Every structure is written in C-alpha cells, then in structure tokens.
Amino acid sequence: IIDNTGKFFLSGNYSDPMMNTDIESIVEYCLSGKQSHVQIGSNGSLRRPDVWYNLGKMMRKHYEKHRRWNSVLFAIDGLEDTNPIYRVNSKWWKIMENAKAFIDGGGFAEWKYIVFEHNEHQVEKAEQLSKEMGFITFNKILSMRFVDWFGKVRKDTEVVRSTKEDVTQYIQDGNDEIHCDAIERNGIFVTDKGMVLPCCWVGNEMGYNWQVDKISKHDYGAKHLKKSYPDWEYELNALEHGINNVMEHPIWEDLTNLWGLGQPLMCYRQCGKKLDDIKQQTIHKNALD
C-alpha cells in the first residue's frame, strides 16, 4: 500500500500530530514509499526545537533526493496578542521558536491564518512576518466552522468570525449533488484508533461524534448507518481486519446510496453544498520568495 501512496497528510483531526512522541519515525516511514511525500498540520506549540529541526532536515533531504514536496502547515491565527484567543493556551514564543527551528533545518513551512474579527487587522503584519522568517506560503482563511449545515452563519460561537468578507459567497451554487472528493483523490483517512474512513470529515463524525451520539436530528443518513452497522468501530478497524478488508465493507455502498438524498450531512456539507474548509475557505495564498 505504501508504495502506491502519494501524499500523507498528518492532520489535527484529534489533537495535534506533534503530540505523538514517535512523529519522527512516523514521517520517516511515510517517506519510505516509492512516490510518497508528507504534510503535517500543527499549531506549532508542542515539542522541543530539536525535534522540529530534525523534521525539517529529514523533509529537505527527501525533497532534494526525490523532488517530492514535503511541508508543515502551521496554524497560526494572529500575532502574539491574538493567536491564543482561538489557539487557547498556546505560547507565542514557543511557536516562533519551533517554526524557526524547522525552517533552519531546511523544512518548507506554510502559514495558515484563520481570520476572525479579533485578528483581521493583523493579516498584513503576519504575512510580512512570514516572509521575514522564511515561510514559503501565507494562507488567509475564512473558516467554514462558523457556518451551519445549510450555509447560514452561526451565532452561537465563542469567537466572532471575520466581519470584512462574507463567507457565504464562497459556497458554490448548484444542485447540491454530492461528488466525493475522497473518490476523486483516491484517498482514505485513518483515525488515531485505526479506523479506515473516506476522509477526515467523515472520520470526525464516525470516529468521535457517533460514539457519543452527537448526531444532528437532521442527519438521518448518519442515524441510518449507525443503526445498520452497530459494530462499525470494530468492523472498520484496520488493526483488526487490514485496510483492504475494511475498504470492501458493505457500509460504503450504503453510504454512496445516501448521497442521492443529500445525506449524511457531513458529505452534503463538504462535497455537496461545498462548505469545504480547504477548497472554499482559502481566499489568499501567495508563494513567497
């Protein structure tokens, strides 16, 4: 499988990838594939600078040998006074120290900046800082996390979304047909517990929300799947059955049949109405010198 895998994205679906004390050996293993490359998503506030330096050095060495892109996508939402408002308890000096170490090691660093009302006045300063530090891209984001299932801006959040740009204008018009990005990319998502699922969005639903019955009353597709496959946690676990066997499970045919009904809601949100947190919220991305 690994020799037929292109991109590995180590995401913060559950906690932060840098929490894993084996992160260096995990990245090394991912890079051992014949055509593989790696991106890590992190808030940058964890681990010592030497770990980040070693990751940068490892990724740069792999890039120079194979010319396949590797990077860390640092989620930094503001400057010293504003970043901790959303990234609670993160330490600015620690993030800057780790980012510098990664870049000094030769790593390609990207800056992802979610725009809120409390930090939208600092976007230009943050972008300038990213250039000075050696980040290769700066990504300005309008988060879809503050939009409900049906595209309306939520009012019940603890932080206030950006006020300068209308996030709903980035929702695609159309007939709301679900076209699965995971199928298009030929991708899968593996949870921290070993479940194999189509993508990180479905991974969040089935890996966590289903377990605590946190399912919307409108999400009858998810309710149907959970009722039909009560042992989904065990049956979809690759540690028990292997990746290939999980991918042949009958739940996936049932899932695709639900798409014609605009269900489950997470599939409708991400690949139907296109509230995708990657495709639709990236408003500004510069390749930096």
Side-chain angles (χ1 to χ4, degrees):
I1 292 175
I2 193 172
D3 283 337
N4 289 284
T5 301
K7 180 178 180 178
F8 285 89
F9 180 49
L10 309 182
S11 75
N13 195 292
Y14 184 71
S15 190
D16 189 294
M18 297 304 293
M19 283 287 290
N20 195 310
T21 55
D22 296 318
I23 188 66
E24 292 177 73
S25 59
I26 289 172
V27 171
E28 185 177 18
Y29 173 73
C30 291
L31 292 177
S32 69
K34 291 182 178 179
Q35 55 186 359
S36 59
H37 59 110
V38 174
Q39 184 180 54
I40 299 174
S42 174
N43 62 34
S45 64
L46 300 166
R47 310 303 297 276
R48 301 185 310 272
D50 62 307
V51 174
W52 287 94
Y53 181 87
N54 291 339
L55 279 176
K57 189 175 181 180
M58 184 193 312
M59 288 181 167
R60 170 65 73 146
K61 183 178 180 181
H62 179 269
Y63 170 75
E64 290 180 347
K65 182 177 181 180
H66 301 286
R67 290 298 166 180
R68 294 197 291 271
W69 188 257
N70 305 294
S71 70
V72 169
L73 186 64
F74 286 88
I76 310 174
D77 306 318
L79 297 176
E80 184 171 8
D81 58 330
T82 55
N83 183 61
I85 294 175
Y86 184 62
R87 303 289 170 181
V88 178
N89 293 328
S90 62
K91 294 180 174 58
W92 177 258
W93 65 268
K94 185 68 173 173
I95 296 169
M96 293 294 101
E97 184 179 60
N98 287 339
K100 182 179 184 303
F102 178 73
I103 294 168
D104 287 347
F108 296 115
E110 302 183 72
W111 187 317
K112 185 181 78 170
Y113 189 112
I114 299 178
V115 184
F116 298 98
E117 187 179 51
H118 63 257
N119 68 12
E120 60 189 353
H121 62 291
Q122 296 175 324
V123 172
E124 291 183 1
K125 288 184 178 179
E127 183 171 4
Q128 181 59 38
L129 177 60
S130 73
K131 292 179 180 180
E132 294 170 359
M133 292 184 67
F135 280 80
I136 60 167
T137 65
F138 183 87
N139 306 272
K140 190 178 92 174
I141 304 294
L142 296 181
S143 181
M144 293 296 176
R145 294 185 181 187
F146 306 98
V147 178
D148 67 17
W149 293 113
F150 308 105
K152 295 181 179 179
V153 177
R154 294 169 51 193
K155 307 295 184 183
D156 60 341
T157 55
E158 294 182 6
V159 289
V160 180
R161 55 172 293 275
S162 172
T163 57
K164 290 184 179 178
E165 296 182 80
D166 178 14
V167 72
T168 59
Q169 70 179 295
Y170 297 98
I171 300 171
Q172 290 186 358
D173 295 327
N175 56 12
D176 293 346
E177 290 182 2
I178 293 174
H179 299 282
C180 177
D181 284 345
I183 291 177
E184 185 177 328
R185 297 193 314 268
N186 198 26
I188 59 173
F189 177 76
V190 184
T191 75
D192 59 297
K193 296 179 180 177
M195 280 198 293
V196 176
L197 302 168
C199 62
C200 65
W201 310 108
V202 173
N204 187 66
E205 289 293 288
M206 296 179 69
Y208 314 108
N209 290 343
W210 283 22
Q211 294 173 352
V212 295
D213 287 324
K214 189 180 178 183
I215 301 177
S216 167
K217 64 180 179 179
H218 302 291
D219 203 346
Y220 53 83
K223 291 178 183 292
H224 165 75
L225 292 174
K226 183 177 180 181
K227 183 178 180 180
S228 300
Y229 302 96
D231 298 321
W232 91 92
E233 292 180 74
Y234 172 75
E235 294 174 358
L236 302 181
N237 196 300
L239 299 176
E240 299 288 345
H241 307 291
I243 290 177
N244 290 328
N245 288 330
V246 174
M247 292 180 71
E248 294 174 357
H249 195 282
I251 193 173
W252 307 128
E253 183 176 357
D254 282 358
L255 174 66
T256 58
N257 288 337
L258 285 167
W259 291 343
L261 303 173
Q263 292 283 328
L265 285 183
M266 183 55 77
C267 294
Y268 173 74
R269 174 186 172 91
Q270 296 300 132
C271 295
K273 204 168 182 63
K274 294 298 183 186
L275 301 178
D276 190 322
D277 282 81
I278 301 300
K279 285 186 176 179
Q280 297 304 318
Q281 63 175 200
T282 301
I283 312 304
H284 182 61
K285 181 173 182 177
N286 280 342
L288 305 178
D289 296 330

